[in-house]
Amino acid sequence: MDSLGFLLFYANLVSPSSGFSSLAPNGLLYLTTLIHNGSKNDPYLEPPILTVNTVLSLLAVDYPAHRLACYVSDDGCSPLNFYSLVEASKFAKLWVPFCKKYNIGVRAPFRYFLRESDEPPCASSWEFQQDWEKMKEEYERLCGNIEAAANNSTSFDLTGELEVFFNTECQNHPTIIKVIWENMQGLSDGIPHLIYISREKRPKNPHHYKAGAMNVLTRVSGLMTNAPFMLNVDCDMYANNPELVLHAMCLFLGSSDERDWGFVQCPQYFYDRPTDHLAVLHQTLFKGMVGIQGPFYAGSGTFHRRNVVYGKEADDELLKKIGNSKEFINSAAHALKGKAYFTSILSKSLDVVHQVAGCDYEHSSDWGKKVGFLYGSITEDMITGMMIHAKGWRSGYCSPDPRAFLGCGALADPAAMSQQKRWATGFLEILFSKTNPIFACFTSKLQFRQCLAYLWILIWGLRSIPEVCYAALPAYCIITNSSFLPKIQELGICIPVTLFVIYKVYTLSDYIRIGFPIDSWWVNSCMARISATGAWFLGLLNVILKFLGLSETIFEITQKLHQPRTPADDCGKDDDKMIFDESPVFIPGTTILLVHVSALAMALLGLEAQGGQGTGLGEFFCSTYVVLCFLPFLQGLFRRGKYGIPLPTICKSSALALLFVHLCKMSTISVN
Ligand SMILES: O=c1ccn([C@@H]2O[C@H](COP(=O)(O)OP(=O)(O)O[C@H]3O[C@H](CO)[C@@H](O)[C@H](O)[C@H]3O)[C@@H](O)[C@H]2O)c(=O)[nH]1
Ligand SMILES: [Mn+2]
């Protein structure tokens, strides 16, 4: 029913004569791009050109420009980012009209020019060819300027516009808010407002990572434009479908039930890893959840209702808990009633805005606890989304064709592993907190099946324990000459074999159904074993250390790849090779591999313990299967450079593997 409503509504909207603009509320594009870790101007972790492309793609979406504002948050407080955005806004004045005039499909220039050759498409008009060439030239100039600035970023001339960055440190600086571009005349075919924000940071005040940044953005945008909808996008996810805002608005406005669509999530796909495990989760789990309360909030590509973020249920009580800026309380009161409220203070009174972006503002307020994006987990998205569901809201799923957003995946394996580790850590923080889905299911409006879906994902870190145990079990059996499966001639063997086959056929059928290649099924299922035993396991250790008070959980920024890769690169010869670094996440995998290789070698050489009940074919099969899953590690043992496992990791893992073999041997001696 819902999707039908959506389609009808959409059909009304696509014709330019439709009354959309009178229907549409003041949609606000609310973009977060945040640079954090590393040195002040680290252009390598989150390259500014990626952010610039994301911003350009969003400024150029098909939506009345006077109803959009784009806020860019920079947690790195970097003049380079600011400079890049200023340059981007100049280029936007050419790029946005160009995209709209020729109805360009992909509006992130780095992807648009990637697909074309050096020549404009020859079947096009002369005028288009001229414009195309000019655009390409201008874009190259933009890239050149940003690159040159990045190369000299240590010796930036901090005068004029950049003076505010003088004497700032990434973790210690006052609020910087700059209106880079204002659509003064309110032109619907102009360029949306573009605002740069670097919230105040002081070493003594916790800044709560991305959730903290989101809350500042929420308040600042509340004061400046106060649109009832906010779109939240990571710096590395560009808008791939120019109509995506219309699609999402159709969901919001096309529903008659108030409780529908607290937020609308677009799936996260990656241009460089089109068939990765997240893409599969989106096609299976997320789509399934639409039938319950709706998909998780995934942190990027999400449209929020401002009043839901404020808590919606709010009354005068709540207004007391959102801090003590009169102006902000006033704007929030309007937002809670679902009314727009324009103070039109854009570029006028920035003082008030500075106040709500300061690090003391949240002091003795409910921000992060009940209001806004919640603190307490480094996966702020999961916890915030769950609390919205717990209030009885549903979430919508917006997956237009072409795909709404395309991101730059965690390409190098160390980055992917650190991302998985962060997720496992953040999920466990939620599981072991007061805001866990089981409580929410009993005490509030989180539905039972929705609760199960949350539990499925939140236990990732815990799942690492059985994963590690099962990965070790066949090796243990071989070394101790024992077995955990029935023998091949016994009837009982049918049970594990059937379970194994059914599971494999079931997961494979998902891939066939959604049209993903079969080899991606194999690669993803191996990666699942590798992440579960490595990244998730370390995530679990992280949380244990946190509960013991020995360390804090931190948000490690995912490294974004510098150069966008061409489609041809995607099937490049090095693409299937795993990349390693000295991070501890690779120790469990290397150890598991070494243990199995030793066990199989011992069996081959007849060195297993004497006098056990004997190892069956089942254990040998399982052991070989584990080796196959960890094949990238086996190859990594013999490779050099970034494709090889570093020597310190091999040494630590060998020591652990030896210890394991020794303990196995000891256990047989003590049993005998
Ligand atoms: O202190 C911080 C840390 C991160 N970020 C930004 O948050 C975004 C996501 O960070 P990234 O390092 O790219 O993490 P991912 O692993 O790609 O993020 C995924 O997982 C996060 C939760 O762990 C979600 O918030 C993200 O939306 C989701 O894409 C980026 O734009 C960062 O710049 C900040 O602004 N401040
Ligand atoms: Mn990211």
Side-chain angles (χ1 to χ4, degrees):
M1 265 320 280
D2 291 326
S3 62
L4 191 64
F6 164 56
L7 277 179
L8 283 176
F9 205 74
Y10 180 60
N12 283 337
L13 289 177
V14 277
S15 80
S17 59
S18 76
F20 184 68
S21 47
S22 59
L23 261 174
N26 298 288
L28 167 70
L29 267 186
Y30 161 22
L31 175 81
T32 80
T33 147
L34 316 118
I35 312 222
H36 167 65
N37 215 14
S39 63
K40 191 165 130 113
N41 294 318
D42 182 353
Y44 300 106
L45 203 56
E46 300 195 306
I49 194 69
L50 271 184
T51 310
V52 159
N53 270 282
T54 305
V55 169
L56 288 170
S57 71
L58 286 167
L59 293 179
V61 290
D62 286 333
Y63 198 78
H66 62 298
R67 292 171 182 277
L68 298 175
C70 176
Y71 296 84
V72 182
S73 150
D74 177 13
D75 264 2
C77 186
S78 131
L80 174 63
N81 285 326
F82 177 70
Y83 167 82
S84 309
L85 285 169
V86 173
E87 291 298 303
S89 75
K90 294 180 195 155
F91 175 67
K93 284 169 202 148
L94 305 169
W95 178 247
V96 174
F98 169 78
C99 289
K100 295 201 172 162
K101 181 171 174 195
Y102 298 106
N103 199 14
I104 301 296
V106 179
R107 298 184 183 181
F110 80 122
R111 296 297 289 175
Y112 177 66
F113 289 117
L114 179 80
R115 299 198 172 266
E116 319 284 333
S117 63
D118 274 344
E119 302 284 313
C122 52
S124 49
S125 70
W126 185 80
E127 194 192 357
F128 175 80
Q129 299 197 0
Q130 293 287 305
D131 286 353
W132 191 93
E133 303 234 338
K134 174 150 185 256
M135 235 20 82
K136 191 166 164 82
E137 205 181 292
E138 287 293 330
Y139 179 63
E140 271 158 16
R141 180 172 314 155
L142 172 72
C143 292
N145 288 349
I146 294 178
E147 209 165 297
N151 292 336
N152 299 324
S153 60
T154 41
S155 56
F156 246 112
D157 178 18
L158 297 180
T159 52
E161 277 262 83
L162 295 182
E163 206 183 325
V164 279
F165 291 96
F166 184 71
N167 234 342
T168 58
E169 283 165 41
C170 178
Q171 301 297 345
N172 190 9
H173 65 87
T175 303
I176 300 173
I177 297 181
K178 295 222 156 230
V179 179
I180 294 180
W181 166 254
E182 182 175 0
N183 182 359
M184 298 252 197
Q185 286 95 32
L187 300 174
S188 68
D189 56 351
I191 319 281
H193 308 311
L194 178 61
I195 298 118
Y196 171 92
I197 306 171
S198 186
R199 59 186 167 133
E200 182 185 15
K201 278 203 192 153
R202 300 293 171 202
K204 284 204 187 97
N205 292 52
H207 60 80
H208 303 293
Y209 305 102
K210 186 177 169 190
M214 297 286 295
N215 282 334
V216 168
L217 282 173
T218 307
R219 292 196 294 269
V220 169
S221 61
L223 278 175
M224 291 180 124
T225 40
N226 208 25
F229 295 99
M230 305 185 282
L231 164 60
N232 136 229
V233 185
D234 284 351
C235 62
D236 54 348
M237 295 214 118
Y238 69 87
N240 181 57
N241 182 331
E243 291 184 339
L244 76 114
V245 183
L246 298 176
H247 282 278
M249 286 303 155
C250 287
L251 274 174
F252 278 124
L253 303 175
S255 148
S256 49
D257 186 347
E258 240 287 88
R259 281 281 146 192
D260 274 349
W261 324 139
F263 61 89
V264 166
Q265 178 66 49
C266 302
Q268 289 180 349
Y269 293 113
F270 301 98
Y271 51 82
D272 39 19
R273 284 201 172 173
T275 57
D276 79 329
H277 71 110
L278 273 184
V280 181
L281 270 192
H282 274 287
Q283 297 268 4
T284 52
L285 179 73
F286 275 55
K287 279 195 178 166
M289 291 177 77
V290 172
I292 321 172
Q293 273 181 285
F296 306 123
Y297 162 35
S300 181
T302 321
F303 292 83
H304 285 280
R305 279 182 201 271
R306 181 178 289 275
N307 54 14
V308 171
V309 170
Y310 287 167
K312 178 69 184 174
E313 249 62 54
D315 43 13
D316 298 344
E317 260 323 278
L318 183 107
L319 292 177
K320 286 184 204 137
K321 292 178 189 157
I322 54 173
N324 45 20
S325 155
K326 279 205 195 74
E327 288 80 0
F328 182 68
I329 291 175
N330 198 1
S331 102
H334 276 76
L336 286 172
K337 290 187 202 114
K339 288 187 193 156
Y341 160 81
F342 281 92
T343 48
S344 69
I345 55 168
L346 206 59
S347 42
K348 285 182 202 147
S349 120
L350 285 179
D351 280 356
V352 195
V353 189
H354 274 82
Q355 187 196 348
V356 298
C359 53
D360 285 331
Y361 185 79
E362 295 184 354
H363 203 71
S364 67
S365 75
D366 270 353
W367 283 98
K369 292 174 218 143
K370 287 185 189 142
V371 180
F373 296 84
L374 305 186
Y375 306 148
S377 161
I378 45 174
T379 48
E380 81 302 327
D381 41 0
M382 199 52 78
I383 186 169
T384 306
M386 192 174 81
M387 284 300 124
I388 294 176
H389 284 139
K391 287 187 183 144
W393 290 93
R394 298 185 62 208
S395 53
Y397 190 63
C398 174
S399 96
D401 179 23
R403 294 175 162 177
F405 291 95
L406 284 182
C408 144
L411 252 195
D413 296 286
M417 295 292 263
S418 113
Q419 185 183 47
Q420 292 276 339
K421 183 175 82 184
R422 166 152 50 74
W423 287 343
T425 309
F427 294 163
L428 285 180
E429 286 176 310
I430 303 174
L431 193 67
F432 296 128
S433 73
K434 281 184 292 196
T435 43
N436 90 39
I438 302 177
F439 291 157
C441 182
F442 282 112
T443 60
S444 45
K445 294 183 186 150
L446 191 72
Q447 289 177 18
F448 176 65
R449 287 184 306 152
Q450 187 78 10
C451 164
L452 291 183
Y454 274 108
L455 283 177
W456 177 83
I457 198 156
L458 295 185
I459 59 166
W460 276 10
L462 290 183
R463 252 174 68 184
S464 64
I465 300 175
E467 291 266 359
V468 169
C469 294
Y470 276 115
L473 192 56
Y476 170 84
C477 289
I478 295 175
I479 298 169
T480 56
N481 200 15
S482 56
S483 61
F484 74 101
L485 290 170
K487 293 274 153 41
I488 194 88
Q489 58 276 21
E490 293 169 27
L491 199 59
I493 191 75
C494 294
I495 299 173
V497 169
T498 316
L499 285 176
F500 182 82
V501 172
I502 289 180
Y503 180 71
K504 289 291 162 197
V505 170
Y506 164 68
T507 50
L508 182 61
S509 70
D510 271 347
Y511 279 72
I512 296 173
R513 184 168 50 81
I514 61 183
F516 282 5
I518 292 179
D519 60 335
S520 68
W521 165 74
W522 175 249
V523 171
N524 286 346
S525 60
C526 292
M527 272 317 284
R529 303 284 77 76
I530 293 172
S531 304
T533 50
W536 296 0
F537 188 61
L538 275 137
L540 175 68
L541 294 184
N542 255 349
V543 173
I544 295 177
L545 289 180
K546 178 186 166 180
F547 287 139
L548 293 177
L550 296 176
S551 82
E552 268 304 311
T553 51
I554 53 163
F555 192 118
E556 288 168 36
I557 302 260
T558 307
Q559 162 93 56
K560 279 98 191 158
L561 207 72
H562 205 32
Q563 277 301 317
R565 302 177 346 150
T566 58
D569 286 344
D570 287 356
C571 33
K573 59 177 177 15
D574 284 344
D575 222 30
D576 50 351
K577 288 189 192 160
M578 187 149 166
I579 299 173
F580 297 91
D581 67 5
E582 287 194 20
S583 150
V585 284
F586 294 111
I587 294 181
T590 316
T591 312
I592 289 170
L593 177 86
L594 289 175
V595 162
H596 278 275
V597 172
S598 331
L600 289 172
M602 284 166 80
L604 214 64
L605 301 173
L607 294 176
E608 70 272 51
Q610 302 303 314
Q613 340 99 312
T615 309
L617 208 59
E619 285 75 23
F620 282 106
F621 172 81
C622 290
S623 181
T624 318
Y625 178 76
V626 174
V627 173
L628 285 181
C629 286
F630 287 82
L631 200 60
F633 284 77
L634 186 60
Q635 293 160 334
L637 284 179
F638 301 102
R639 289 193 178 128
R640 296 245 178 101
K642 63 176 181 173
Y643 297 115
I645 304 178
L647 199 61
T649 308
I650 299 185
C651 295
K652 289 174 204 158
S653 302
S654 311
L656 286 173
L658 276 177
L659 184 70
F660 180 82
V661 174
H662 183 68
L663 290 178
C664 293
K665 287 264 179 191
M666 296 274 289
S667 75
T668 52
I669 294 169
S670 56
V671 169
N672 293 341

